[in-house]
Amino acid sequence: MRICLFFGLTQATANFALAYISGFQYQAMAETLESSAFIFELRIIFLLCFSYLSLNVAPRTLWRGHQYRFFRLVVFVYTLSVLVVQSRSRVFELLAVPIFAYLMWSGDKVRWRYIGALLIALTVPNLIVLGRLGMPGSFGALMSGLFSIEYSVILNNILGGAIEHRYVVQEPLTFLKSLWLIIPSPVRTLLGIEVIKSEAYDALVHIADVRNGGYSMLAEMFQNFGWWSFLVFALMGWIIGWLNKRAFYVGHADIFAAMAPLIYTGFILGLRNDFGVFLKFAIQLLLIALFLRVLTPRAALKAVTPASTRSDSKPK
């Protein structure tokens, strides 16, 4: 609990400081986030602890209980800070934690209202972009911006380029060079390690005639493994499903089960990036979970009492 509060407050403070120093200009904030990535990647500790609490403390207790009032304040302040920074990915990963926990406590069932809420949620990233670009000049442009799905065309173009020109790039396993990103940036700087990504990315983006940024994990997997790349995604799906099964035992979930919503968000965000970004995130998340498992006893995180867990949630 204290770990969650500490890192939540420090990350919120860092976000507010970033916004103030950058003059609340998105481009300046994005450049600082990239150059000081290590500081802001520590948010994973807060999110992992947040996920752990959400899976082990009944929603009514967590969001209404008197003993968690300061925790709710920290979550609110952190949420406000990521909105100020205008980072869609950070908003997405934050909202995914309580939503995922709610679904687990509700029995992980599919309901029509969930589908409706998901369709409405698709407009949230575009609303954040409006904060960067300003209000469009016409109502038609506003509606087009709100209900457009960004990156869909980019991903299709890059994937199409990979399928049509697969043998243009002969380098195997393009994502291996990105694994140096696992080492914290201050340590890389100290040791003189420079991360130079594969030239395959720029080559394929040029072939696909994509100029608006972004990449495609689907295209990269095809580039590396051809039509056998579906086996890689099947393996990732099995791992995500295994974590999801552990998370279903709410009230008794361990720190590894708390990784589930973050792996979901990391995979979804990784689809518009290269595979190395997702792999680096997954390994970092696992290392942090192991560290918290060793450092902090389960009782110290103040998990919910068995009386308030779902009746079918206890592991068999």
Side-chain angles (χ1 to χ4, degrees):
M1 182 69 169
R2 291 178 181 177
I3 295 176
C4 184
L5 297 178
F6 173 77
F7 280 96
L9 285 175
T10 53
Q11 284 297 299
T13 302
N15 287 335
F16 283 125
L18 168 65
Y20 179 77
I21 294 172
S22 304
F24 297 93
Q25 298 296 318
Y26 172 73
Q27 188 60 40
M29 289 189 286
E31 292 174 358
T32 305
L33 283 172
E34 184 175 355
S35 61
S36 306
F38 174 71
I39 297 174
F40 296 95
E41 284 180 356
L42 292 176
R43 73 188 186 281
I44 297 175
I45 300 177
F46 165 68
L47 293 171
L48 189 59
C49 293
F50 181 18
S51 177
Y52 180 88
L53 284 170
S54 299
L55 290 171
N56 283 289
V57 181
R60 182 179 297 273
T61 303
L62 186 62
W63 298 109
R64 298 184 184 181
H66 180 74
Q67 67 270 41
Y68 292 102
R69 64 189 185 282
F70 189 61
F71 164 77
R72 293 193 293 271
L73 176 62
V74 170
V75 172
F76 173 78
V77 172
Y78 179 80
T79 304
L80 184 61
S81 74
V82 294
L83 289 173
V84 169
V85 173
Q86 303 174 41
S87 174
R88 292 175 297 173
S89 59
R90 284 164 172 74
V91 172
F92 175 55
E93 65 188 11
L94 173 65
L95 293 179
V97 170
I99 292 174
F100 178 84
Y102 173 79
L103 293 174
M104 293 299 101
W105 282 98
S106 300
D108 197 19
K109 299 176 181 177
V110 177
R111 294 186 172 93
W112 284 110
R113 66 174 181 269
Y114 296 164
I115 298 175
L118 178 62
L119 294 175
I120 295 174
L122 291 176
T123 64
V124 174
N126 296 331
L127 287 172
I128 296 176
V129 171
L130 286 179
R132 305 177 190 170
L133 304 179
M135 187 65 65
S138 66
F139 179 77
L142 174 62
M143 291 297 100
S144 176
L146 283 179
F147 297 100
S148 63
I149 306 299
E150 191 180 10
Y151 290 108
S152 58
V153 174
I154 292 177
L155 295 180
N156 291 339
N157 289 354
I158 297 176
L159 179 58
I163 294 174
E164 185 177 1
H165 302 280
R166 178 187 170 196
Y167 297 104
V168 170
V169 180
Q170 300 293 334
E171 179 184 355
L173 300 181
T174 55
F175 53 84
L176 289 181
K177 292 182 179 180
S178 298
L179 293 183
W180 287 108
L181 293 171
I182 297 173
I183 302 175
S185 54
V187 178
R188 293 202 308 269
T189 302
L190 181 64
L191 298 178
I193 299 174
E194 185 178 0
V195 180
I196 301 177
K197 289 194 173 185
S198 169
E199 297 178 357
Y201 301 125
D202 291 335
L204 187 54
V205 166
H206 177 73
I207 290 171
D209 193 26
V210 173
R211 301 182 178 88
N212 296 323
Y215 199 66
S216 170
M217 186 195 296
L218 297 173
E220 184 181 13
M221 289 297 97
F222 185 87
Q223 203 172 8
N224 285 285
F225 304 109
W227 295 109
W228 293 103
S229 55
F230 78 93
L231 293 176
V232 180
F233 287 100
L235 176 60
M236 288 190 284
W238 180 83
I239 294 173
I240 292 173
W242 177 75
L243 290 172
N244 192 89
K245 181 179 179 180
R246 295 177 71 93
F248 186 74
Y249 299 121
V250 288
H252 308 275
D254 59 17
I255 195 68
F256 298 110
M259 293 170 53
L262 301 180
I263 286 291
Y264 270 122
T265 58
F267 177 76
I268 293 172
L269 293 172
L271 287 174
R272 63 177 177 85
N273 262 306
D274 57 89
F275 180 68
V277 172
F278 169 69
L279 187 59
K280 180 219 49 164
F281 174 80
I283 294 175
Q284 286 180 335
L285 183 60
L286 177 60
L287 292 176
I288 291 173
L290 288 169
F291 178 76
L292 291 176
R293 179 70 175 267
V294 173
L295 180 68
T296 309
R298 176 181 169 84
L301 290 175
K302 297 182 180 179
V304 69
T305 57
S308 57
T309 60
R310 258 195 5 245
S311 60
D312 62 339
S313 66
K314 194 169 184 179
K316 296 178 176 59

